[in-house]
Amino acid sequence: MSIINRREFLAGSSALAGLSFMSLAGCSKKTDSIRVGFMLPYTGTYAKLGMAIENGFRLALGELGDKPFGKTIDFYTVDDESNPAKATDNANKIMTRDNVDVVIGTVHSGVAMGMIKVAKDTGSLVIVPNAGANAATGAMCAPNVFRTSFSNWQPTHPLGKIMVEQGLKKSIFVTWKYGAGEEASASFREGFEAAGGEVIKELFVPFPNVEFQAILTEIASLRPDAVACFFAGGGAVKFVKDYAAAGLKKSIPLFGSGFLTEGVLDAQGDAAEGVTTTLHYADQLQNAKNKAFREAYRLAYSEEADVYAVQGYDAGLLLIKALQETSGDLSQKVKAIQAMEGAEIDSPRGAWKMSKSHNPIQNFYTMKVRNGVNEVVGTAWENLEDPAVGCALKEL
Amino acid sequence: MDAITFFIQAMNGIQYGLLLFLVATGLTLIFGIMGVINIAHGSFYMVGAYLAWSLMGWFGNFWVGLFAGVLVALFLGLALEWLFIRFLYDRDHLQQVLVTYGLILIFSELRSILWGDDVHSVPIPELLSGSIQLTENLAYPIYRLWLSGVCIVIAILMYVGIQHTRLGMMIRAGESDRDMTKALGINIGLVYRFVFALGVSLAAFSGMISAPIASVFPGMGNQVLIVSFVVVVIGGLGSIKGAMVAALMVGLIDTFGKVLNVNILGINILPEMAGMSIFALMAIILMFRPQGIFGKGH
């Protein structure tokens, strides 16, 4: 039994062919508009992050008014579903079919790497608003690829310093066995050993498994001074709760990169009390820019901004630098790239500069959870720059 | 690893195994008895967890929320069987996979629309919120022990229900010969509808009682789906006993795989490859018993 007959199939496929022809016809570039593409996850686990990034970005561009430089801004979106297998297709769709001037994307590192490979061929301007893979501004760095978030090397690097300062010299690192986790673990070890600490064991949990009981028992029997970890989202909630439920928090303090508590602090509840993290943004930062940003974000979207919204917002601020330099004509690519390379961004996270490899040189703040609030207790590292291993980018 | 740590790890493994059994048992029912590959099983687990979060918040009581949640899941199961699954019994597995895959997408979108994409947590009921001090720095939450107890009770109920009741007899009859059972005047359609609803409720129930320790988040269903299939395949399709044995094996292997060091030629084999250990177990068992440990083979 056939589900669709041949005629229906032919009719359907010719309709499809018509569609793709139309989109090709629409390809000729209008110069009276700025074409911005979002390649972000709008469905799946990271949907919320994708939306926060887009919201932040639109908020920044909104500061330019309705018709910046006499042009309209046209937005194009592709849902990348955080699916690396579709990354090349999706990147081609937005870069070639929609022919955008700049792509904002994405959250998932695997998808970002696929996207960057395509961008290297098409020469499209790309601003990465989250994905942390070191290679994006390391071995795979490119003149047309910028990042406004962080490299995986950055958030766990300052942890070692603050732990040793507190006299905690023997530590275990726990994370998921996957790219970001391994990069976070390597960077933690580097920072901790440089500060005089010793990583007595690295424990990996298969990604995205959230059964931690075996790991917790191992930690209890090894008795380190402290535990550092890298988890995010649902896994972060479960790890922090399990850690507290196993009674370990009382004797072995827990540290982590800020993703451990970001956006999930409410779900962690009492279990998160006393957890210390480092991140490039803290919602409690007391600077004028952050207050104004949080207020504007709340007004526009009736929800609280998070680090992902800030990264999206900064992607917008970065693009504005390029627009100002080129009077809104992003086809002057060299000028646009030069503007972004020299950019100093007045961000809610504090001012930061673009590094030679196109990754933010930024402060990392120490936060400690007290009474359900992630209080900023200090700056763990000022102007931390990713080592950009394998990147030989020359300024244009 | 000293003796006490070993003992605690073994307990962790058994506890995890029992939880796996609970998650997988609904799948083995539907897969084994009705012959339907239901890859939306993980979605029902997720729906259960979200139901627990909203219903327990609504009623302000864990137990009432749990009861209401099971009822909702039961009706969801009945409705889904009537709407989709009953058309699949005579179709091949590919079409079953397509339909139930579609259900995954639908449930994930519905979840996003109804509940949003946030991570939530469900408080542990006060009665079970304490913990037992095992060593000087390690405690064991009472809720986890209670969870193991619930899993054992469910296992016994299922075994008795299927082996020693009239309904169980009808279910087993339908499994061996659907048409002949029908000819004997048993409304096999109704029996299947019930079995499917039971499978859905079991998945949702395990999501509900896992919610206080597992937290509630969008991708949670996919995580349990694969390991559930591993348990069902190792144990043998449709065998409750097999699911129990396989779940305990997988639980223990997974637990020890994460922490035991086995050095072969200077390479740390186990913790590095912990993600593969349960699949390696499955491959080895299927090599010697392709029908699974307690599978009948067809």
Side-chain angles (χ1 to χ4, degrees), chain A residues 345-358:
Chain A
I345 303 294
D346 183 19
S347 161
R349 68 180 103 162
W352 60 266
K353 263 194 265 183
M354 195 56 92
S355 77
K356 272 186 189 158
S357 63
H358 299 179

Side-chain angles (χ1 to χ4, degrees), chain A residues 43 47-48 177 201 206 208-211 213-214 217-218 220-221 223 234 237-238 241-242 245-248 251 267, chain B residues 5 8-9 12 16 109 117-119 121 136-139 141 144 212-215 217 223 254-255 258-259 261 272 275:
Chain A
T43 52
K48 199 175 157 57
K177 180 106 189 143
K201 193 153 192 181
N209 187 318
V210 289
E211 178 59 32
Q213 215 56 39
T217 306
E218 182 77 356
S221 77
R223 298 163 188 279
V237 176
K238 184 157 195 302
K241 288 181 83 174
D242 284 359
L248 289 171
S251 49
Chain B
T5 312
I8 297 173
Q9 292 291 25
N12 287 334
Y16 180 46
E109 268 313 295
D117 299 312
D118 283 322
V119 179
S121 82
E136 63 177 281
N137 64 354
L138 185 70
R144 280 181 178 268
I213 54 164
S215 81
F217 55 100
Q223 292 182 357
D254 187 77
T255 301
K258 278 174 190 157
V259 291
N261 278 310
E272 292 292 305

